[in-house]
């Protein structure tokens, strides 16, 4: 606390003070939360297959979890200098997951607007959300284990030259 962080935005200074691992684990907890919400949506559709609220819940789960995911990503770009969205390999996998998540969001939204009783789009959208959030959690796991094994700096998350 109290130290000057010259050249850092307020957000970067706060994150720097908290430390890389706690921030990364918090983001990982969000990924787990998105996965759990999608699981609950799918279970509710299976348990009450004739109830419209389950379709609504499943569709809104895709909308909210996807929006939160992309807001979190945008926050990184907006407030952290030299933010690296996919700092672990394979980079293409994390970018692909985001493209697929965006596609699921758009498809679920479009299908829900056209026919809010159709169960297919919310089911597919939640399955995609679950799969992409598993990939995102893998990124969290990789980043934290890199710190624990001495491959990344514990304070900044910068990859160390070994």
């Amino acid at each position: 606390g109290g130290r000057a962080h010259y050249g850092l935005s307020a957000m970067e200074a706060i994150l720097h003070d908290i430390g890389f691992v706690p921030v990364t684990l918090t983001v990982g907890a969000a990924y787990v939360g998105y996965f759990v919400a999608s699981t609950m949506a799918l279970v509710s559709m299976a348990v009450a297959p004739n109830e419209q609220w389950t379709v609504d819940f499943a569709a809104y789960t895709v909308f909210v979890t996807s929006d939160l995911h992309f807001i979190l990503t945008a926050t990184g770009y907006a407030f952290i200098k030299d933010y690296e969205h996919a700092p672990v390999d394979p980079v293409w996998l994390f970018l692909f997951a985001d493209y697929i998540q965006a596609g699921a969001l758009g498809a679920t939204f479009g299908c829900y607007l056209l026919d809010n009783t159709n169960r297919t789009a919310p089911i597919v959208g939640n399955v995609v959300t679950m799969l992409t959030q598993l990939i995102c959690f893998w990124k969290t796991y990789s980043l934290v284990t890199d710190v624990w094994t001495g491959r990344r700096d514990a304070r900044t998350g910068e990859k160390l030259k070994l």
Side-chain angles (χ1 to χ4, degrees):
R3 295 184 307 271
H5 297 285
Y6 299 105
L8 297 179
S9 71
M11 178 69 80
E12 284 178 303
I14 291 168
L15 295 176
H16 186 269
D17 282 345
I18 294 171
F20 180 75
V21 171
V23 170
T24 303
L25 288 175
T26 301
V27 172
Y31 297 149
V32 170
Y34 303 156
F35 183 90
V36 170
S38 289
T39 302
M40 290 171 46
L42 293 175
V43 168
S44 72
M45 290 181 80
V47 170
N50 298 320
E51 299 290 328
Q52 179 60 35
W53 72 265
T54 62
V55 178
D56 297 337
F57 175 64
Y60 281 96
T61 299
V62 174
F63 305 156
V64 171
T65 57
S66 298
D67 287 345
L68 290 173
H69 173 75
F70 292 120
I71 288 168
L72 193 59
T73 300
T75 300
Y77 281 110
F79 294 107
I80 300 173
K81 184 180 182 221
D82 300 325
Y83 174 74
E84 192 175 349
H85 177 62
V88 296
D89 289 324
V91 171
W92 68 266
L93 180 63
F94 303 109
L95 297 175
F96 180 72
D98 279 345
Y99 294 137
I100 296 300
Q101 183 70 47
L105 171 61
T108 303
F109 186 72
C111 289
Y112 188 76
L113 285 178
L114 293 172
D115 180 6
N116 70 346
T117 63
N118 187 313
R119 304 170 71 75
T120 304
I123 289 170
V124 172
N126 278 288
V127 169
V128 168
T129 297
M130 293 169 71
L131 294 173
T132 59
Q133 296 315 303
L134 284 174
I135 292 168
C136 290
F137 190 77
W138 172 255
K139 177 171 57 174
T140 299
Y141 173 80
S142 297
L143 291 169
V144 171
T145 55
D146 278 359
V147 170
W148 291 342
T149 58
R151 293 186 297 252
R152 287 187 185 273
D153 181 83
R155 178 56 78 195
T156 66
E158 291 290 323
K159 194 161 194 158
L160 300 174
K161 307 226 188 303
L162 301 175

